[in-house]
Amino acid sequence: MKEKPPVIDIRDVNFRYDRENVLEHINLSIPKGAFVGLVGPNGSGKSTLLKIILGLLKIKEGSVELFGIPQEKFKEWDRIGFVSQKANSFNTGFPATVAEVVMGGLVKKVGLFRRPGQKEKDAVKRAVKAVGMESFLTRNIGDLSGGQQQRVFIARAIVSNPSVLILDEPTVGVDSQNVDSFYRMLTYLNQELGMTLLLVTHDIGTITDKVTHVACLNKYLHFHGSMEQFVELDEQELSDLYGHGIRLLDHHHDH
Amino acid sequence: MDTASACLIITTIIEGKNIMIEAIFTYKFLQNAFLSGAIIGIIAPLLGAFIVVRRLSLIADALSHVTLSGIAAGLLLGQKASLFAGVNPLYFGMAFSVGGSLLIERLRNVYRHYQELAIPIMMSGGIGIGVIFISLSDKGLNTDLFGYLFGSISAVSRTDLYAVITISAIVLITVYFLYKELFILSFDEEFAKASGIPAKAVHLAFIILTALVIAVSMRIVGVLLVSALMTLPVAASIRLAKGFKQTIWLSVLFGEISVITGLISAFYLDLAPGGTIVVTSILILLGVIIWKKEKN
């Protein structure tokens, strides 16, 4: 662990919108190859923390390191893939095929004024295959189900071959029958392709048997550790974690 | 219908076609109109595809009205100030349109929660200023004005045609080289910004191109109908197309059919081409909607 820098390392981050503190004393480090579930109720600051990691919000207190490089100096953003809560905001009438949508993930990599070639087309096919959507390449994105659309957006996020994939509530809009196969696909990305995953969700129940690490957030980071440590917590501690209290727990980790 | 009358109709059509072709070779103004029209039939729906999917259709309308005030300013200055006497009012229209597009962007930022407010502000502003210029000018503007409002076959000059060719070349080159950025910006603005694409610059380039295309298209279809040529072909193609590239190709095809059919019928029936072009594209749109409904 020590010899290789964590892929994401957050230290003593505080963040406030106007006067309201949203995040306080956040310490979170994500080792390479982990599948981390970041859980917390609505309004716990999960999305804010993601935006900070992605550099979309600037922090005044604390530090964020990506692959051992301070975020301010970090340039290789294509090493980090991101899937937002697309199911809610996406314009389903947009006439774009699955292949066109996934190609969007390569726009930055190809570079301004250049046009994608065969290499990029092959990368698109590989990514679409990795999420099990290869038979839908030329279908319009609007004609697919919520779960299928979410897979396409994951393909777009992994097409540039990132080593970390961050997912914000990816199962919103995915019907319950397909949630299991959705998580199987994530496990495949994590175990077979060696991708580090950071999954944000408000639903702790569905992820406990899938992830390797858990972090519980509610303004403070209440718990951050491996799944083994997490399952040892007793019921009272769990309910404290996931309740709306903001009390720091005794076993709060200091990294 | 018996064979004789069918033959008669066909001969008339062929003869009509000959008259048309002869006329095009004989009259420069017809060459100007048809060449400009054919080019605009490509670039207006091309940009229109992006405009429609970004839900900016009304911006095209607002810009065309701002273009009108520029044209009116140009015509007025041409009358009043000898310095501007030989200057094509189209250039004023282009300048106003580009200025208007930048102003719309500013207004959209001022009224963050009422972004559509920018459109009525610019639209009424454009017409209001235009009407003042028109009232200030000497009489005799009316015939020119009718052409600018609804399009004209006879009024397209060589310099108009050159302006169309220049702007179209810029549009085609820009869209070719910025296609992927324009696509991702239209499909998912948040993602485009997050992945580090210069979204603001690309958007600015796009809105300026739109302003220029509106200004040059106006000679053929007219101020009041130019946005139709950008949106109606796209409205039809979006019902049929698989994917965005196909949407563009179909839009261009429908736009081109509308312009050519519209210009030919305007020539024969002595109508304003803006009207005939828009009616043709509406017929295509209706046809597509009905065909699609029958199919399902």
Side-chain angles (χ1 to χ4, degrees):
Chain A
M1 282 288 292
K2 282 289 166 209
E3 59 274 16
K4 259 197 178 164
V7 287
I8 298 173
D9 198 7
I10 299 170
R11 282 187 208 149
D12 284 324
V13 164
N14 294 322
F15 191 84
R16 58 179 70 88
Y17 288 115
D18 296 324
R19 292 252 179 89
E20 193 195 349
N21 287 345
V22 184
L23 297 172
E24 282 187 36
H25 303 296
I26 304 297
N27 283 290
L28 176 68
S29 83
I30 295 175
K32 191 171 171 2
F35 184 171
V36 181
L38 178 63
V39 289
N42 291 327
S44 56
K46 293 175 308 222
S47 300
T48 306
L49 187 59
L50 281 196
K51 283 181 185 160
I52 288 171
I53 294 172
L54 293 166
L56 300 174
L57 286 175
K58 297 277 166 265
I59 44 166
K60 295 199 183 82
E61 293 163 58
S63 68
V64 176
E65 281 190 6
L66 303 167
F67 302 96
I69 303 163
Q71 197 189 42
E72 316 82 77
K73 292 183 189 155
F74 187 74
K75 293 270 189 300
E76 304 155 42
W77 286 103
D78 56 351
R79 292 177 75 179
I80 300 177
F82 175 56
V83 181
S84 64
Q85 300 181 28
K86 259 289 84 98
N88 305 327
S89 62
F90 154 67
N91 166 16
T92 47
F94 199 103
T97 61
V98 167
E100 285 177 321
V101 173
V102 175
M103 185 63 90
L106 286 171
V107 168
K108 180 67 184 169
K109 203 170 196 172
V110 172
L112 215 54
F113 306 119
R114 288 163 194 258
R115 289 171 66 83
Q118 194 56 47
K119 201 178 95 189
E120 283 75 22
K121 283 177 189 156
D122 292 342
V124 166
K125 276 186 198 148
R126 273 199 304 276
V128 172
K129 197 162 185 249
V131 297
M133 290 290 292
E134 61 270 37
S135 51
F136 295 87
L137 263 175
T138 55
R139 292 276 292 276
N140 273 351
I141 181 88
D143 297 340
L144 307 180
S145 75
Q148 291 171 325
Q149 286 174 359
Q150 198 57 273
R151 280 168 186 257
V152 174
F153 289 117
I154 288 173
R156 179 176 71 172
I158 63 172
V159 68
S160 59
N161 216 2
S163 25
V164 187
L165 180 61
I166 300 177
L167 305 119
D168 190 2
E169 302 276 7
T171 51
V172 172
V174 178
D175 47 287
S176 50
Q177 307 159 295
N178 292 320
V179 166
D180 274 344
S181 75
F182 186 82
Y183 277 112
R184 269 202 300 282
M185 176 203 65
L186 289 184
T187 306
Y188 170 80
L189 296 180
N190 178 238
Q191 289 177 357
E192 304 300 320
L193 304 184
M195 217 169 266
T196 309
L197 300 183
L198 173 59
L199 172 79
V200 173
T201 177
H202 65 278
D203 188 6
I204 198 167
T206 49
I207 62 155
T208 41
D209 53 337
K210 284 116 186 165
V211 297
T212 59
H213 294 68
V214 177
C216 298
L217 185 76
N218 197 356
K219 190 164 167 185
Y220 303 97
L221 200 62
H222 291 275
F223 174 83
H224 171 38
S226 70
M227 215 42 233
E228 290 77 31
Q229 293 167 296
F230 186 74
V231 291
E232 280 167 19
L233 299 176
D234 63 38
E235 229 164 74
Q236 181 56 42
E237 287 170 316
L238 263 175
S239 83
D240 282 348
L241 273 180
Y242 204 56
H244 291 261
I246 48 163
R247 169 169 78 84
L248 261 173
L249 296 177
D250 295 332
H251 58 248
H252 172 73
H253 275 44
D254 275 321
H255 291 263
Chain B
M1 190 192 296
D2 59 77
T3 345
S5 58
C7 278
L8 190 68
I9 289 173
I10 290 168
T11 341
T12 327
I13 290 172
I14 292 170
E15 273 174 4
K17 215 170 163 192
N18 285 339
I19 295 170
M20 182 101 208
I21 290 165
E22 243 180 72
I24 285 184
F25 280 113
T26 322
Y27 301 112
K28 270 244 160 78
F29 75 85
L30 271 187
Q31 293 173 10
N32 296 342
F34 272 85
L35 273 175
S36 305
I39 298 170
I40 287 164
I42 296 170
I43 56 164
L46 168 66
L47 285 188
F50 293 98
I51 290 176
V52 169
V53 295
R54 295 187 67 186
R55 298 182 168 139
L56 297 176
S57 306
L58 287 172
I59 283 188
D61 244 328
L63 286 179
S64 65
H65 288 69
V66 175
T67 308
L68 177 71
S69 61
I71 299 276
L75 290 170
L76 178 65
L77 280 172
Q79 280 183 350
K80 304 285 180 191
S82 53
L83 180 64
F84 295 106
V87 179
N88 191 334
L90 183 64
Y91 297 145
F92 287 92
M94 283 158 70
F96 271 58
S97 184
V98 170
S101 68
L102 301 178
L103 212 58
I104 286 182
E105 286 310 299
R106 290 295 292 273
L107 281 172
R108 274 156 63 87
N109 287 331
V110 173
Y111 291 103
R112 234 163 231 294
H113 301 286
Y114 300 96
Q115 291 204 335
E116 76 281 5
L117 255 186
I119 288 154
I121 293 172
M122 295 307 289
M123 219 172 209
S124 46
I127 290 283
I129 294 168
V131 163
I132 290 178
F133 287 148
I134 291 162
S135 338
L136 284 174
S137 65
D138 303 333
K139 295 204 177 79
L141 259 187
N142 293 349
T143 38
D144 285 348
L145 203 64
F146 187 81
Y148 282 112
L149 285 177
F150 304 108
S152 165
I153 290 190
S154 56
V156 184
S157 67
R158 265 288 130 130
T159 49
D160 290 339
L161 175 62
Y162 293 146
V164 169
I165 292 173
T166 314
I167 299 300
S168 305
I170 296 173
V171 168
L172 289 175
I173 289 170
T174 314
V175 172
Y176 183 82
F177 284 108
L178 285 180
Y179 174 80
K180 64 187 192 311
E181 281 81 10
L182 287 168
F183 169 79
I184 195 68
L185 198 62
S186 312
F187 179 70
D188 191 344
E189 197 169 337
E190 195 193 335
F191 176 82
K193 283 178 181 160
S195 52
I197 289 150
K200 268 193 181 154
V202 173
H203 174 70
L204 195 68
F206 173 74
I207 207 83
I208 289 174
L209 286 185
T210 305
L212 288 171
V213 167
I214 286 170
V216 296
S217 308
M218 187 211 51
R219 213 61 183 104
I220 297 286
V221 263
V223 166
L224 297 178
L225 299 168
V226 59
S227 70
L229 187 56
M230 299 188 112
T231 51
L232 294 182
V234 185
S237 73
I238 227 167
R239 308 279 309 162
L240 303 174
K242 283 231 175 303
F244 193 63
K245 276 209 173 123
Q246 223 181 75
T247 305
I248 290 181
W249 288 118
L250 274 178
S251 303
V252 169
L253 177 71
F254 291 152
E256 198 60 36
I257 293 173
S258 306
V259 170
I260 299 301
T261 316
L263 282 177
I264 291 173
S265 45
F267 174 77
Y268 280 115
L269 306 169
D270 196 21
L271 299 169
T276 51
I277 290 171
V278 168
V279 168
T280 314
S281 31
I282 286 186
L283 288 177
I284 292 175
L285 178 61
L286 279 177
V288 166
I289 292 174
I290 292 167
W291 182 78
K292 187 87 188 183
K293 221 175 176 178
E294 291 291 305
K295 214 181 114 193
N296 290 343

